[in-house]
């Protein structure tokens, strides 16, 4: 007994549709566990710290909008002033990046949220970014995390872009 190809193909199509429909019903059934959330994207923050010359061995710190130090471990800039850190999952932008050269005064820059959800963010730190960020933070003490957080809450991120330009 030969079964025509069309009948076999229709039977397979019906079974596939039924299986897909059953999966949909199981996923939305009352009491079914919600689907697992997508993992948060890890943000990679990198840049160059310089004051004309590269800041070699400067201590890098990141302060979040709540005034908490973001745990990035002990990070120092390289001899070319470069740094790169992976921000812990769940770290939300904006953040403040503070770099303190050995025996020097800290410089800061504000890292705003990415307009296009980019996960590789470049945040150079130099006297210009420090000047713009300092103006936006209304002269807050750059060594005081709580003062930085309070000042950051009042920052208009669009103003940073226009001032920086």
């Amino acid at each position: 007994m030969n079964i025509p190809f069309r009948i076999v193909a229709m039977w397979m199509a019906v079974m596939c549709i039924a299986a897909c429909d059953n999966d949909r019903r199981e996923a939305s059934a009352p009491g079914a566990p919600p689907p697992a959330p997508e993992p948060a994207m890890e943000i990679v923050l990198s840049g160059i710290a310089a004051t004309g010359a590269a800041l070699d061995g400067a201590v890098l710190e990141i302060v979040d909008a709540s005034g908490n130090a973001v745990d990035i471990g002990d990070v120092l800039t390289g001899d070319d002033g470069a740094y790169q850190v992976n921000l812990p999952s769940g770290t939300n932008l904006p953040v403040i990046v503070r770099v303190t050269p050995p025996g020097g005064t800290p410089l800061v820059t504000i890292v705003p949220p990415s307009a296009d959800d980019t996960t590789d963010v470049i945040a150079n730190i130099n006297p210009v970014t420090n000047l713009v960020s300092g103006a936006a933070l209304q002269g807050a003490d750059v060594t005081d995390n709580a003062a930085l957080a309070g000042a950051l809450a009042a920052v208009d991120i669009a103003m940073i872009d226009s001032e920086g330009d």
Side-chain angles (χ1 to χ4, degrees):
M1 171 177 182
N2 275 340
I3 300 174
F5 175 75
R6 288 184 190 173
I7 294 173
V8 171
M10 277 195 325
W11 179 79
M12 289 177 62
V14 167
M15 294 307 290
C16 287
I17 291 170
C20 291
D21 188 50
N22 189 36
D23 289 345
R24 203 173 348 167
R25 271 192 242 144
E26 285 177 8
S28 62
E38 291 186 31
M41 298 299 291
E42 184 176 81
I43 298 172
V44 178
L45 189 62
S46 62
I48 304 287
T51 57
L55 296 179
D56 180 13
V59 175
L60 186 83
E61 300 168 286
I62 299 174
V63 179
D64 69 14
S66 299
N68 299 314
V70 176
D71 184 11
I72 57 170
D74 296 330
V75 177
L76 300 176
T77 58
D79 59 356
D80 58 354
Y83 72 90
Q84 179 174 331
V85 296
N86 295 336
L87 297 181
S89 178
T91 302
N92 295 317
L93 301 179
V95 296
I96 297 172
V97 178
R98 177 174 51 215
V99 63
T100 306
T105 304
L107 299 171
V108 296
T109 190
I110 299 171
V111 181
S114 172
D116 59 0
D117 294 328
T118 300
T119 57
D120 291 327
V121 178
I122 297 174
N124 294 319
I125 307 163
N126 56 57
V128 174
T129 64
N130 188 63
L131 181 65
V132 171
S133 297
L137 296 168
Q138 301 174 7
D141 180 358
V142 297
T143 63
D144 182 349
N145 290 359
L148 287 174
L152 184 59
V155 170
D156 176 9
I157 298 300
M159 187 275 303
I160 292 175
D161 288 338
S162 68
E163 289 291 319
D165 289 344

